[in-house]
Amino acid sequence: MKTLEAQVISSEDLLKHWQGHRALTRRLIELFPEKDFFEFSIGGMRPFAKLVDELLAIAVPGLKGIVTKQTEAFSEGKDNLIFKAQYLEKWDEATAEINKYWEQLSIEDFNETFNLFGQYEFPVIQNILYFIDNEVHHRGQAYVYLRALNIEPPFFWER
């Protein structure tokens, strides 16, 4: 049996941190004009709707896989969402599902290795930190898009 090291952040605080990022990302989705959410791009980057497709395909499916210990291949954009309102609804559903699966994680699970999407074999904590890092990365792209559209985004620390 592995001995757990002293925690720097509790499981509850990590979830709160992640959900704070998700709340901010949701605010950015809301700010986009409908057409630009699906079409606006700079320098060959994907439109924000495509980035959100990726975020939706990672968060709940990844966490569900970790909790159920079932490895499923990564699959993006399978919901065929065509309106921004659908994305917001899906985002809210994912937020609730994250909370549901999070409750099923034990502190020991965070140190276990999991092969996320059959491609990324790392400790669970690293997979979860990847979920957050990837969202922050894509939200940064959305900030650039909004500024280019002359839309003032919220401060990044307003989570």
Side-chain angles (χ1 to χ4, degrees), residues 17-29 48 51-52 54-56 58-60 91 94-95 98 127-143 159:
H17 178 78
W18 185 12
Q19 292 292 24
H21 280 290
R22 290 183 54 78
L24 182 54
T25 300
R26 188 189 195 287
R27 289 175 61 200
L28 293 186
I29 295 168
F48 195 40
L51 301 176
V52 175
E54 179 184 313
L55 298 175
L56 288 169
I58 289 173
V60 171
W91 194 263
T95 297
I98 288 167
N127 285 322
I128 291 169
L129 292 173
Y130 166 76
F131 301 163
I132 298 167
D133 291 345
N134 189 54
E135 182 174 334
V136 171
H137 162 70
H138 288 315
R139 192 172 63 235
Q141 291 172 280
Y143 271 78
R159 291 178 276 155

Side-chain angles (χ1 to χ4, degrees), residues 54-71:
E54 179 184 313
L55 298 175
L56 288 169
I58 289 173
V60 171
L63 189 57
K64 180 181 177 184
I66 288 167
V67 168
T68 64
K69 301 188 182 346
Q70 294 180 354
T71 300

Side-chain angles (χ1 to χ4, degrees), residues 24-87:
L24 182 54
T25 300
R26 188 189 195 287
R27 289 175 61 200
L28 293 186
I29 295 168
E30 290 174 331
L31 284 173
F32 268 85
E34 185 83 17
K35 182 177 187 292
D36 293 322
F37 180 68
F38 292 96
E39 296 177 8
F40 191 78
S41 172
I42 295 174
M45 293 189 297
R46 295 173 286 169
F48 195 40
K50 293 293 184 191
L51 301 176
V52 175
D53 281 336
E54 179 184 313
L55 298 175
L56 288 169
I58 289 173
V60 171
L63 189 57
K64 180 181 177 184
I66 288 167
V67 168
T68 64
K69 301 188 182 346
Q70 294 180 354
T71 300
E72 305 232 351
F74 179 74
S75 177
E76 180 178 335
K78 63 183 179 210
D79 293 316
N80 297 316
L81 307 176
I82 59 171
F83 298 107
K84 188 173 74 167
Q86 292 173 305
Y87 277 85

Side-chain angles (χ1 to χ4, degrees), residues 96-113:
E97 286 186 80
I98 288 167
N99 290 337
K100 178 184 84 171
Y101 287 115
W102 195 269
E103 291 175 7
Q104 298 174 51
L105 284 173
S106 72
I107 194 67
E108 292 81 13
D109 290 333
F110 287 93
N111 287 324
E112 295 299 317
T113 298

